[in-house]
Amino acid sequence: MRPESTGGAGLAVPMSWLCAEYTADVILRTGGLVPPGSLEFRAGQRVLALTVHLGDGAAAGTFAAGGAPDTDEWLSLTAAGRPWPDWVGDRLAARERHGGPDPDLALATATWHWLRTTHVYATDLGDLEPWHPSRPRPGSVDESRRAWTPAWELGLPLGHLAVRLW
């Protein structure tokens, strides 16, 4: 089946996006960092799906076909200090310029909208970035101090850690 084939009724099938979601789901479930079905899991899964789908490689399709993807690109894109949200915005804008109906792009755009507009009441990490291996831990994080955080800010370090553990 072609990646954007139609299923008889003229409905385009977003195979690239579905492969990226599947890959992200497997990586997060394998890591066992958060319970599946939780808001944290969904945030991490959606961040990884966008990263896999918008990345340069065809790793999601390779993984879905039984091969092993090269995860270095995903680790690089999700690393702390990288402008991941700008990268996603630029990639989506570039694909929109290509024009034409694209069911993969529609799902990726909806996912990015959800990640930006959904806020999670979570521990306020501030600028500590305790998940970043090159930064020393400046003491413990006060887990009682909470803040409303966009879902992508919660999902990005979770996704990065899940790929690293995978």
Side-chain angles (χ1 to χ4, degrees):
M1 180 183 330
R2 293 184 4 231
E4 300 301 328
S5 68
T6 59
L11 179 64
V13 179
M15 292 304 294
S16 178
W17 179 257
L18 294 174
C19 287
E21 275 190 330
Y22 173 76
T23 301
D25 193 72
V26 167
I27 291 170
L28 277 171
R29 286 179 190 275
T30 302
L33 299 170
V34 292
S38 67
L39 191 57
E40 293 86 354
F41 183 90
R42 287 191 313 205
Q45 189 264 352
R46 290 176 182 188
V47 161
L48 279 179
L50 273 174
T51 304
V52 170
H53 179 68
L54 296 173
D56 289 328
T62 302
F63 178 67
D70 177 15
T71 57
D72 291 340
E73 178 187 18
W74 302 339
L75 287 171
S76 171
L77 290 169
T78 59
R82 287 279 309 220
W84 186 84
D86 295 336
W87 175 81
V88 170
D90 292 345
R91 289 294 178 123
L92 289 174
R95 291 195 181 185
E96 285 174 2
R97 283 191 294 273
H98 284 24
D102 184 352
D104 291 310
L105 178 60
L107 290 172
T109 301
T111 297
W112 180 227
H113 177 75
W114 183 88
L115 284 166
R116 285 182 297 125
T117 60
T118 301
H119 284 71
V120 181
Y121 194 59
T123 300
D124 184 11
L125 298 176
D127 292 331
L128 296 179
E129 297 179 0
W131 57 85
H132 196 278
S134 69
R135 297 218 174 150
R137 288 203 72 156
S140 62
V141 173
D142 181 5
E143 292 188 31
S144 65
R145 202 174 93 218
R146 299 205 174 261
W148 287 101
T149 306
W152 72 265
E153 287 186 17
L154 181 65
L156 191 60
L158 178 62
H160 181 81
L161 183 57
V163 171
R164 186 167 294 284
L165 293 173
W166 191 56

